[in-house]
Amino acid sequence: MHDVVYPNDGVRLSRFRDYLSKLKPSFWAIVVIPTSIAIIYYGLLASDVYTSDSYFVVKSSQREKSVTGFASFFAGEGAGGSTDEVHAVEEYLKSRDALRDVNKDGLVTNAFTRSSISIFDRFGKLGSDSEEALYKYFSKRVDSTYDGGTFVAHLKVQAYTPDDAFEINRRLLNLGESLVNRLNQRSRTDLVRYAEKEVDEARARAATAAMALSTYRNKRGVVDPEKQAAVQIQLVTKLQDELIANQTQLDQLRQFTPENPQVSVLQERVASIRRQMSTEMQKVAGGAQSLAGSVAGYERVQMDSEFAAKQLASAMASLEDAKNEARRQQIYVERIVAPNKPDAALYPKRLKGVVSVLLLGLVIYGIFQLLVAAIFEHRQ
């Protein structure tokens, strides 16, 4: 059969050719050619881009204790959002270390060098394939953002197949959790190690103070100067009472029976009591070697020993608290939305891209025409 050509079709084709021939070269250069290139790129060359999203929060168990229930949604930091740690995770997910860990088995390299990917989008085809180039390429396809209002972090990964986008997102999220676990372990280890160091130092100070107290007691020959002085004073008081009784009896005998043989006996007894009282008083207060002279030095070493013992008890209590604290997980990642496996490509926006190029070309062409008209008018 022969194709049927209608007269109207020939007229329309002729008119279209006449219209094209009337177009200025500048219009072709600014509008037609760029739009045609956009149609070819978005229609034939551009590869579909799939996006996998996940959402998570980094929470602190200590902050959760302060605010619970419905109020936790409005309590800011008290709600458990751990800002410092989530920023650390966010920076790590976009780091070279994260890329190296995810790409241990070549996942990233294979995902972005598939032959099915357009040569314009494929890694290494139109540029360097170095590690630095891979990192820059990877950084453009992985994004992690933190919302300070909701305390939720958003991890977005773009790839050219749904499986690659999902797997990279999943691995990155697992690596973020591993980072938080390492931070936890480091925090627990440092906490207990510091408390143990304090206990060791306090124990050494207590041993030194106890040794100093023992040396002082041996050197002075006293156990507790204050208690021993109290015993000595009691003894002196008893001697004083005995002295008074004997002195009274002696005075009575001298007054009524001066020739009584008991007078000389009482006199000797009174003198003996006075000598003993003097000796005992010398032990209490009578020089550097007396109990009174020993009190100041004894109180100092005893105070040092008691203070060191209290420090040791406090350090041991702190160590026990540190161990109890270390048993609890301080920081943890809680997934709000697990990584999804996309079932449709979000990019590129093909129609939007072509229309954008067309509109931009028309705007530029209009500005160009205005400039040309202004130049010709100025010359006239």
Side-chain angles (χ1 to χ4, degrees):
M1 291 182 63
H2 298 283
D3 294 335
V4 179
V5 179
Y6 296 97
N8 289 337
D9 291 342
V11 172
R12 290 174 182 172
L13 182 60
S14 177
R15 288 179 180 177
F16 181 70
R17 289 174 179 173
D18 292 340
Y19 176 76
L20 291 179
S21 63
K22 292 179 182 179
L23 292 177
K24 297 180 180 180
S26 59
F27 185 82
W28 282 88
I30 297 175
V31 179
V32 177
I33 294 176
T35 303
S36 300
I37 294 174
I39 292 173
I40 295 172
Y41 173 75
Y42 285 108
L44 302 175
L45 300 179
S47 299
D48 289 336
V49 178
Y50 297 86
T51 302
S52 176
D53 297 284
S54 61
Y55 295 84
F56 64 93
V57 293
V58 180
K59 306 188 77 175
S60 170
S61 60
Q62 291 301 313
R63 288 169 182 162
E64 279 190 326
K65 293 178 182 178
S66 60
V67 182
T68 58
F70 187 74
S72 64
F73 288 96
F74 307 97
E77 289 298 317
S82 187
T83 305
D84 295 338
E85 289 77 14
V86 77
H87 284 316
V89 173
E90 185 182 5
E91 291 301 319
Y92 169 74
L93 294 178
K94 296 182 289 187
S95 69
R96 289 174 174 82
D97 289 342
L99 170 60
R100 190 178 303 111
D101 293 336
V102 173
N103 197 36
K104 282 183 177 179
D105 58 352
L107 171 65
V108 176
T109 304
N110 295 332
F112 296 128
T113 57
R114 297 181 184 276
S115 58
S116 59
I117 302 173
S118 166
I119 191 173
F120 298 100
D121 300 321
R122 196 185 316 163
F123 169 71
K125 286 301 181 181
L126 298 179
S128 172
D129 59 354
S130 63
E131 290 186 3
E132 186 64 25
L134 179 61
Y135 172 69
K136 292 180 180 179
Y137 185 96
F138 179 77
S139 299
K140 294 178 182 178
R141 285 152 183 80
V142 174
D143 187 31
S144 178
T145 57
Y146 174 69
D147 188 342
T150 60
F151 305 102
V152 175
H154 175 206
L155 175 61
K156 181 172 69 173
V157 176
Q158 293 181 338
Y160 298 102
T161 67
D163 291 335
D164 289 338
F166 167 77
E167 184 61 20
I168 293 174
N169 195 317
R170 187 187 68 82
R171 290 193 185 185
L172 284 174
L173 198 56
N174 289 341
L175 289 172
E177 292 179 341
S178 298
L179 174 64
V180 170
N181 291 335
R182 290 198 301 271
L183 293 175
N184 266 324
Q185 184 60 39
R186 177 67 180 273
S187 176
R188 289 193 292 263
T189 302
D190 289 347
L191 183 65
V192 174
R193 183 170 62 244
Y194 180 74
E196 289 176 343
K197 182 180 178 182
E198 282 193 329
V199 169
D200 293 339
E201 293 176 352
R203 185 178 287 113
R205 288 193 295 267
T208 302
M211 182 62 67
L213 179 61
S214 177
T215 301
Y216 187 87
R217 284 172 171 169
N218 293 331
K219 182 178 180 180
R220 291 283 184 169
V222 295
V223 176
D224 190 336
E226 292 184 354
K227 293 181 179 179
Q228 289 184 240
V231 173
Q232 293 297 121
I233 290 173
Q234 289 179 359
L235 178 58
V236 170
T237 301
K238 291 180 179 180
L239 290 174
Q240 189 174 16
D241 294 338
E242 187 177 351
L243 174 63
I244 292 172
N246 283 276
Q247 184 66 50
T248 300
Q249 186 179 359
L250 176 60
D251 291 341
Q252 289 175 352
L253 288 175
R254 282 177 176 175
Q255 182 177 0
F256 298 105
T257 57
E259 301 300 331
N260 192 319
Q262 291 294 325
V263 172
S264 60
V265 175
L266 288 173
Q267 286 178 342
E268 182 60 30
R269 184 179 298 172
V270 168
S272 175
I273 293 172
R274 289 184 184 279
R275 287 192 301 271
Q276 189 175 358
M277 285 181 60
S278 177
T279 301
E280 297 301 330
M281 287 301 299
Q282 286 291 331
K283 292 179 181 179
V284 177
Q289 299 300 321
S290 65
L291 292 175
S294 303
V295 168
Y298 177 81
E299 287 181 346
R300 177 179 58 79
V301 294
Q302 185 186 37
M303 186 180 300
D304 290 343
S305 179
E306 292 177 352
F307 181 72
K310 290 180 180 179
Q311 278 189 319
L312 177 58
S314 176
M316 294 182 70
S318 298
L319 175 59
E320 189 63 28
D321 291 340
K323 289 181 178 180
N324 292 333
E325 193 72 16
R327 293 188 186 102
R328 294 191 294 268
Q329 188 176 17
Q330 300 297 310
I331 311 164
Y332 59 96
V333 172
E334 182 173 330
R335 300 186 184 190
I336 297 177
V337 178
N340 69 301
K341 183 179 291 187
D343 57 357
L346 296 181
Y347 301 98
K349 305 291 185 180
R350 302 179 188 278
L351 180 60
K352 181 179 179 181
V354 173
V355 172
S356 298
V357 172
L358 175 60
L359 294 178
L360 180 61
L362 291 174
V363 171
I364 295 175
Y365 179 74
I367 296 173
F368 175 76
Q369 289 296 101
L370 291 176
L371 290 175
V372 171
I375 291 173
F376 279 120
E377 183 180 352
H378 179 70
R379 287 180 179 181
Q380 292 177 359

